[in-house]
Amino acid sequence: MLLWTRPGKVITWVAFALVFGVLVLAPFVVVAAAAFAGSWNGVFPSSPTGEHLSEALSGDELASLTVSLQTAFLGGLLAVVLGTWAALAARSAPKPLARLADALHHLPIAVPSVVVGLSLLVAFSRQPVLLNGTKWIVVIAHLVLMVAFSYGTVAAALQRTDDAYADVAASLGASSARVLWQIRLPMLRPAIVSAASLSIALSMGEVGATIMVYPASWRTLPVSVFALTDRGQTFTAAAESLVLLAVTLVLVVTLDRLRGRSVER
């Protein structure tokens, strides 16, 4: 009962603020400070500069951002299409088959992402399907990891939809394709947009599987951050991390607004 009293609420909010500030907010503040630091030899950074941010937005680093965006959109789009199709198919399948489909689609997130990357590297490094050294193996790695989230989001939305609308349309003579495009998919539009938002956001930050399979010509921004940190270029890595955070935030907010418009419709 103490929790619901005024002192209890104050203590709860103070504890939350401390935990959030130390574990979540402080690391972001430190990264932002490092991105503009010319040096950091004491408690606080010194000699503020925009040079690191300029480096993060030029040359190979800008190319890495472009690669991340292309990979996220390609992988995210394919993940949403396949995840939505699989969720719709599982909804009408017999229960044993639906449970099997559910387990298989969630398998990639049940194992470490580096295992997924290694599996793809071994599978596609020889004929008849040779993708090692191409951008497509990176896109497939992101697709494999993201399709589970797309499938789960759409499948959960399907559980909340009423099949009566589709049944009535079918009873009035509408074809299966027309029921799908004019009834089921419009009802699932908010969930599909949410799945796309989640897939793109996760793809932008994915590094575990990517670092196992990426070719030198298709290096994503998280891999560049890892490489810079490994070489001791912490300030430039922090600037790239700040760029990655800002771009991902803009994408997520934009897609969230699209989801809101879908709900209004």
Side-chain angles (χ1 to χ4, degrees), residues 8-27 29:
K9 292 180 179 180
V10 171
I11 293 173
T12 302
W13 278 108
V14 170
F16 170 77
L18 288 174
V19 172
F20 181 82
V22 173
L23 298 181
V24 179
L25 187 59
V29 172

Side-chain angles (χ1 to χ4, degrees), residues 79-218:
V80 169
V81 171
L82 294 179
T84 301
W85 173 82
L88 288 168
R91 177 66 181 271
S92 59
K95 287 187 177 180
L97 188 58
R99 286 195 292 267
L100 177 61
D102 188 74
L104 290 177
H105 279 88
H106 286 93
L107 181 62
I109 60 176
V111 298
S113 58
V114 290
V115 175
V116 174
L118 179 61
S119 301
L120 293 173
L121 188 63
V122 173
F124 298 124
S125 292
R126 55 178 60 88
Q127 297 294 348
V129 183
L130 179 60
L131 296 178
N132 188 13
T134 70
K135 69 178 181 181
W136 295 112
I137 194 171
V138 180
V139 174
I140 291 173
H142 285 233
L143 166 63
V144 170
L145 293 170
M146 300 308 118
V147 73
F149 298 98
S150 296
Y151 171 85
T153 302
V154 177
L158 275 171
Q159 296 296 325
R160 301 190 298 270
T161 58
D162 191 349
D163 290 334
Y165 297 100
D167 294 339
V168 170
S171 67
L172 293 175
S175 64
S176 298
R178 188 172 183 180
V179 171
L180 174 65
W181 286 104
Q182 295 189 2
I183 304 295
R184 293 195 180 276
L185 289 182
M187 293 177 67
L188 292 173
R189 188 181 294 118
I192 293 173
V193 176
S194 294
S197 177
L198 180 61
S199 296
I200 289 175
L202 292 173
S203 178
M204 288 293 292
E206 208 293 314
V207 67
T210 308
I211 205 167
M212 298 291 296
V213 299
Y214 82 97
S217 59
W218 198 260

Side-chain angles (χ1 to χ4, degrees), residues 29-55:
V29 172
V30 170
V31 168
F36 295 98
S39 60
W40 200 327
N41 299 317
V43 178
F44 298 104
S46 58
S47 305
T49 179
E51 181 180 349
H52 307 304
L53 191 60
S54 178
E55 292 177 2

Side-chain angles (χ1 to χ4, degrees), residues 54-74:
S54 178
E55 292 177 2
L57 294 172
S58 62
D60 291 340
E61 316 311 332
L62 181 59
S64 293
L65 174 59
T66 304
V67 167
S68 283
L69 289 170
Q70 292 181 60
T71 303
F73 279 105
L74 281 173

